[in-house]
Amino acid sequence: MNSTVTAQPSVSRSSGDPVIRQVVRGRLIAITDQMRQALQAVSGSPTVTEASDFFTGLYLPDGSFATMGHQVTFEAPPVGALIRHLIDSGRTLKDGDKIVGNDPFVGALHQNDLQMCAPLFVDGELVAWAGVMAHETDIGGMDFASWSPKAKEIWQEGLRIPAVTLVSGGELREDVLEMILQASRLPDQLGLDIRAFIATLNVAGERLTQLCHRYGTDVVRSVMTTMIDDSEASLRRRLRELPDGVTHTRDFLEHDGHANRLYSVDLVLTKKADSLTFDFSGSSPQAMGFVNCSRAGLVGGVAGALIPTLGFGIPWNEGLLRPTEVIAPDGLICTAVPPAPVGSATVETIWVVSNVVCAALNRLLSATPQYAERAQAVSNGTMATFNLGGLNQYGERFGLHLMDPMAGGLGAYATRDGVNAGGPLNTPSPSIPDVEANEQVTPLVYLYRRLARDSGGAGRHRGGLTAEIGLSLSVDSAEALVMTHGAEVPNSTGLGGGLPGSRVRQSLAPGVRTSDGVGAELTALLLEGDPHTDTRFEDLGPKPGSFTLRSTDVFAVRWQGGGGLGDPLDRDPADVASDVHRDAVSLEAARAVYGVVLHGGDGDSAPEPAEAATKALRHALRAARLNRAPETVAEVTAPLDPAHPPTTLSDGESWLPLTDRLCAIRAVDATWRVATADGAVLSTGNTRWRDGAHRFVIELPDRERSTLHEDLTVTGWACPVSGSLLAVDVHRADAEPIHDLELDLSDGGPAHLVLN
């Protein structure tokens, strides 16, 4: 129940007072953060307290979210779906009620994502809803941690709660709570989180009541509505600045838990005027295994990428989703219908949905001069899952959902490198537990946690490096659950010729630890070398599932780095030398991938690029892309930017950059052509520039013997004049690459975007 409100000094109740409206707006956002503080203060789960895998927000009475925290962006719509389910069902709710749910076919992402919402009444009137959501380590099911790779139907994956009143009129229903806790292998941890949810919603109710009593319920309600309307208007203005057209992107995930089948998430994004249509109709049919997501997950995945990509400088709320339409028939891998299993939805299909949305939107940003500097490659294209459970050294049951995989690499930007261990795009404020925190609450032993050399996608700007870890146990054994996609698919794709970031590599070395440790030779390998290349380490592949991890074993995993942006042979040689000095790039990759010849350098000073040798090597590598002798290939020119217009630009012509080596040129007669920075015309009358580019099979850098899925291949596209790399496509071997950007050039095309 709401607490008694202390009398406040009287203030103007005029809803038109801009000062009061701004104060109320700030207070609403502050309430959302106070909800976060309450949740983390009460929760006993490291997933919440250390890694911030949760959501808090305030909603309008119709279920539209007005505020949200900066934790997990794809969780705002699912909580709204739970609220709308309650509204549509016609359920009568009263002050003090709190509803709990986790059904993916109602609103959750998967059963582990427990949701709770509460109608917030002020003086008997429904003013808003408050919502909270967090990942729970175990909610039942056939496997510990409720990730069940062998599940064939959702009933095998844990307790399903559609929408149940847990707190009625302020009174906790102990019988309902007991029913939920009895389904979990970790009832104490789950129970504490549920009580943290209740505290979080109580804070929201108390603070909102205080706000309404001070400034007036009408004012608060009006401000919440206006916040959403303003964000919608701001995004629509931004969309009108982007060129009209279609972007087509596709990403893949391998292995559904039963077989190593390859699935695709296919997005055709149409941008017209101030609206976006996301069409996923070309995606794979739903899988037999647990990699599917429900429609709630699809909408969440779209929001997870759209909000941080296009919502910069705009308050994050439902207004950012109003200009969008999501199209997809039922029964796809991203719109699975019951009884399809969806246990790994968040880290599988939903994550891949965010990848393709990110890639599509950034192609539009690249073709918008005022926003091109914000264009970014895909970040951390997967969340490799490691769960551990059993008995600790005190004989107590423990469970851990490892959040360290959040420390993947951030994609490169058009103007700078990606952030090392910057995390996924869908978590704007990522965090992971300290090593000591995990070791304190579980019998986990870290042998190393560090940045992984050569893991960032190569490019003119390099993708952020991912982290990697080596683990063992301080007890005899425990049950591990290991799974991922992206071990055989490079999901962190590059942009404008940038290479993908590293793939996931997860390996196990059984029986190598003794009471004396792992020995000097293996210690050196773990601390300074590459354990994945050692014959004692077995490659586990993408979905090894559950197995017993022993104190004599060593588990090693490296996650995905961020995608690169631009041709790696355009990277400043001094930056490559610095990368080598800081152990971000190996000496071998500096030469083979970046074409930089280095000399000198030691532990205190960076090596120096050999200018003439580097120029000659880079020219030879570009010629090799064209399968031609170096003397027959033109010298490369500088990448495009406002200070470096196309060399073939004639008087009266204007141009629009597509990437730093591709541009669309509008002639005096209003016809269009796409040309490279080095003068090669690739298409006329449309932006299907691949029709005129040089196509070749590209070998991705050999990072630790990573293998590409047998159904995939990689195609490179080069300027036929200079051999500069224009794009890298990962696609099915039995299908042609897709044209990823088709701008609307009718009526003169995007004239207001052209640089004259």
Side-chain angles (χ1 to χ4, degrees), residues 366-699:
S366 290
T368 310
Q370 58 265 53
Y371 298 128
E373 67 176 14
R374 300 192 65 93
Q376 185 183 19
V378 175
S379 303
N380 195 16
T382 183
M383 170 78 177
T385 299
F386 177 89
N387 285 281
L388 191 70
L391 300 179
N392 63 19
Q393 63 269 39
Y394 306 111
E396 302 165 337
R397 181 170 292 278
F398 78 92
L400 172 72
H401 174 48
L402 192 73
M403 296 304 295
D404 297 39
M406 295 287 283
L410 203 64
Y413 290 90
T415 56
R416 63 190 187 278
D417 292 347
V419 178
N420 296 335
L425 183 73
N426 53 44
T427 307
S429 300
S431 59
I432 60 175
D434 293 334
V435 165
E436 294 79 9
N438 276 344
E439 290 182 332
Q440 184 178 24
V441 297
T442 66
L444 204 60
V445 176
Y446 281 82
L447 303 177
Y448 61 84
R449 187 166 79 177
R450 62 187 178 222
L451 295 175
R453 181 195 308 117
D454 288 335
S455 59
R460 184 164 71 94
H461 296 294
R462 175 178 50 74
L465 303 179
T466 183
E468 61 180 354
I469 58 175
L471 300 174
S472 192
L473 296 178
S474 59
V475 293
D476 289 341
S477 65
E479 192 69 16
L481 176 67
V482 177
M483 62 185 205
T484 189
H485 69 264
E488 299 174 354
V489 178
N491 301 101
S492 298
T493 52
L495 183 63
L499 300 186
S502 60
R503 279 160 273 169
V504 176
R505 181 76 175 183
Q506 38 197 24
S507 305
L508 181 70
V512 296
R513 288 184 77 218
T514 68
S515 58
D516 296 326
V518 295
E521 184 268 337
L522 186 54
T523 297
L525 175 68
L526 294 174
L527 294 180
E528 301 177 8
D530 177 8
H532 301 286
T533 62
D534 189 271
T535 56
R536 286 165 290 190
F537 282 82
E538 171 194 358
D539 182 8
L540 296 178
K543 301 286 192 309
S546 297
F547 59 90
T548 300
L549 184 68
R550 304 185 187 281
S551 60
T552 56
D553 303 339
V554 174
F555 173 71
V557 59
R558 179 214 59 213
W559 304 297
Q560 290 198 2
L565 191 145
D567 188 346
L569 299 184
D570 285 335
R571 185 164 178 79
D572 188 330
D575 289 338
V576 177
S578 176
D579 285 343
V580 170
H581 180 59
R582 294 184 294 111
D583 204 30
V585 171
S586 65
L587 196 60
E588 295 78 13
R591 185 179 184 92
V593 180
Y594 291 98
V596 175
V597 179
L598 299 171
H599 60 80
D602 53 34
D604 296 322
S605 61
E608 293 290 334
E611 184 175 350
T614 293
K615 182 177 180 181
L617 176 58
R618 287 183 161 184
H619 188 70
L621 291 173
R622 291 189 180 98
R625 293 170 177 167
L626 302 178
N627 196 25
R628 288 163 50 186
E631 60 270 19
T632 67
V633 176
E635 292 289 340
V636 69
T637 60
L640 296 169
D641 61 42
H644 296 92
T647 58
T648 58
L649 202 65
S650 301
D651 291 342
E653 292 185 328
S654 49
W655 65 289
L656 176 71
L658 304 180
T659 68
D660 63 2
R661 287 210 165 272
L662 277 173
C663 64
I665 299 175
R666 188 174 67 177
V668 177
D669 61 0
T671 59
W672 288 84
R673 67 184 185 274
V674 175
T676 69
D678 302 307
V681 176
L682 305 184
S683 66
T684 57
N686 59 61
T687 55
R688 290 176 168 242
W689 58 266
R690 283 172 175 77
D691 291 338
H694 174 76
R695 174 178 179 167
F696 66 104
V697 176
I698 187 170
E699 294 291 335

Side-chain angles (χ1 to χ4, degrees), residues 76-145:
V79 175
L82 175 64
I83 294 170
R84 290 184 172 109
H85 172 77
L86 292 167
I87 296 171
D88 294 342
S89 69
R91 186 180 305 188
T92 300
L93 298 172
K94 57 184 180 296
D95 193 10
D97 286 355
K98 293 174 177 60
I99 313 300
V100 65
N102 74 337
D103 190 340
F105 297 109
V106 170
L109 301 175
H110 62 161
Q111 286 101 307
N112 292 80
D113 281 334
L114 197 66
Q115 307 169 301
M116 192 179 292
C117 65
L120 303 183
F121 291 88
V122 178
D123 300 328
E125 182 180 1
L126 178 63
V127 178
W129 294 76
V132 58
M133 181 172 176
H135 180 93
E136 299 303 325
T137 301
D138 187 274
I139 197 72
M142 62 191 294
D143 288 311
F144 167 74

Side-chain angles (χ1 to χ4, degrees), residues 54 77 144 182 338 347 562 573 581 584:
F54 63 84
F144 167 74
Q182 285 300 316
V347 296
H581 180 59

